[in-house]
Amino acid sequence: AKADGKGQWALFDPVRNANEVAQFRLSAKMPAALERGEFYVDYQPLVGLRDFGVVGVEALVRWAHPELGRLGPDKFIALAEETGLIVQLGRWVLREACRQARKWQDDFGAAAPFISVNLAVRQSRDPNLVAHVAEILEETGLEPSRLQLELTESAIMGTADEPLDALRALSRMGVRIAIDDFGTGYSNLAYLRHLPVHELKIAGSFMEGLRDAECADPVDARIVGTLVDLAHALGLTVTAEGVETHAQARRMAEIGCETGQGYLFARPCTPEDIRDFIASRLD
Ligand code: C2E
Ligand code: CA
Ligand code: CA
């Protein structure tokens, strides 16, 4: 509490306080919600920019909250990171996503997409990560090459060596590693060549300047072109995130970007929708 100079005491900001209480209540409810099966996963395709086939599918977690309705990850992932529940929640998402991907593997064989799962910073530092991934692959029968793990730059370029050792071990198992939201964090580009990374996902914010073909922002276009060239020089594949217009898809294809993800192709949807989407692009 602090005197505000007029002899009154400002105990707290009621709006900020109400928000903090709401956040606290939400995070307190998460463990039971996980037990009760209130979380579920939506899937969004990563589409080849040349033939429009489904190369991969990203798993995106949601919470079907009994009172608040469907909550997106922006409402609860940061909370789960704070409490540490992200480790259990993330493991649940990984298992669920791998189970689903195993079905696509059975249905589509060699044409089956890989499943791409987001890893929180806390998970990348979990000493049990490699063992858990191995266990889930074993249990679900998903081929390691059909799993991709997405980490942000800050998760990968941390100071400690342990997360990198874990990524190297996963890479040796055949699991793909992607850098998520590339270009938004602090990237040490030279460092990239020493990392066990297979794919760069260019952040959707770079797509803004490429929205319309006629008035593409030349700086954005140059940046994106340079990122793609850099990735290719390092032997990585590139996915453009947040592709919403044909102009963006066309420009990214011209630049040599392999895959695109975004509302132009599909919104995050159910596994059944993904199955139909894959099938529709096979013939
Ligand atoms: P992200 O990994 O960058 O995932 C892509 C986000 O962009 C998703 O939001 C997706 O719905 C949205 N998106 C896809 N296409 C478009 C488009 O064309 N335009 C625009 N404006 N947006 C598009 P979502 O599902 O709300 O997820 C938000 C973030 O939450 C994700 O960003 C990811 O960082 C995190 N997240 C989601 N699932 C998980 C998870 O299982 N574990 C962890 N640790 N984080 C997750
Ligand atoms: Ca992601
Ligand atoms: Ca992303």
Side-chain angles (χ1 to χ4, degrees):
K2 198 167 145 230
D4 68 1
K6 286 185 214 136
Q8 290 175 332
W9 292 87
L11 282 177
F12 55 73
D13 173 346
V15 174
R16 179 158 171 252
N17 195 260
N19 188 40
E20 274 172 13
V21 170
Q23 299 276 326
F24 177 76
R25 290 174 53 117
L26 204 58
S27 61
K29 291 229 160 78
M30 285 176 76
L34 185 56
E35 290 279 308
R36 281 196 298 267
E38 289 174 13
F39 291 93
Y40 67 97
V41 180
D42 270 348
Y43 298 89
Q44 189 181 32
L46 280 65
V47 173
L49 292 176
R50 302 219 166 268
D51 62 3
F52 302 111
V54 181
V55 176
V57 177
E58 180 170 1
L60 296 160
V61 69
R62 280 92 179 79
W63 181 356
H65 192 286
E67 287 119 43
L68 302 175
R70 293 173 185 209
L71 300 179
D74 51 316
K75 296 279 191 302
F76 61 84
I77 288 289
L79 288 176
E81 285 245 29
E82 275 171 34
T83 62
L85 188 77
I86 192 70
V87 174
Q88 283 104 288
L89 177 63
R91 203 180 306 157
W92 178 83
V93 172
L94 183 66
R95 179 173 284 116
E96 182 68 19
C98 287
R99 264 193 207 138
Q100 194 52 62
R102 165 64 203 265
K103 290 184 194 159
W104 297 324
Q105 181 176 283
D106 289 345
D107 290 345
F108 299 107
F114 61 76
I115 186 79
S116 201
V117 181
N118 293 286
L119 270 201
V121 175
R122 279 278 267 263
Q123 284 179 279
S124 69
R125 316 226 152 134
D126 174 11
N128 298 317
L129 174 67
V130 179
H132 284 308
V133 172
E135 186 186 303
I136 288 172
L137 287 172
E138 167 90 30
E139 173 195 316
T140 58
L142 183 70
E143 285 177 24
S145 62
R146 288 223 168 78
L147 173 63
Q148 173 166 282
L149 299 174
E150 300 190 5
L151 294 93
T152 57
E153 290 160 86
S154 45
I156 292 194
M157 317 234 180
T159 43
D161 284 339
E162 292 79 28
L164 271 188
D165 288 343
L167 294 187
R168 291 200 181 94
L170 290 165
S171 182
R172 274 196 303 274
M173 280 164 53
V175 173
R176 293 168 56 91
I177 309 290
I179 304 188
D180 204 358
D181 303 333
F182 190 75
T184 59
Y186 64 102
S187 280
N188 180 339
L189 298 181
Y191 195 51
L192 264 183
R193 67 185 302 168
H194 303 297
L195 298 176
V197 170
H198 306 84
E199 170 152 306
L200 290 192
K201 297 190 77 178
I202 296 183
S205 49
F206 290 103
M207 292 304 114
E208 274 311 309
L210 309 179
R211 180 165 288 278
D212 309 298
E214 311 79 52
C215 53
D217 176 349
V219 177
D220 268 355
R222 286 285 297 276
I223 292 176
V224 169
T226 305
L227 291 181
V228 173
D229 288 346
L230 170 83
H232 287 165
L234 293 167
L236 313 181
T237 56
V238 187
T239 293
E241 297 192 78
V243 176
E244 296 181 353
T245 69
H246 286 287
Q248 290 165 336
R250 222 173 292 126
R251 175 52 79 93
M252 292 311 294
E254 278 164 18
I255 290 173
C257 179
E258 284 84 5
T259 38
Q261 177 179 359
Y263 299 161
L264 174 67
F265 305 110
R267 300 219 164 217
C269 56
T270 65
E272 293 75 31
D273 288 338
I274 291 286
R275 198 184 175 289
D276 295 345
F277 193 86
I278 299 171
S280 74
R281 279 156 197 240
L282 280 181
D283 16 77

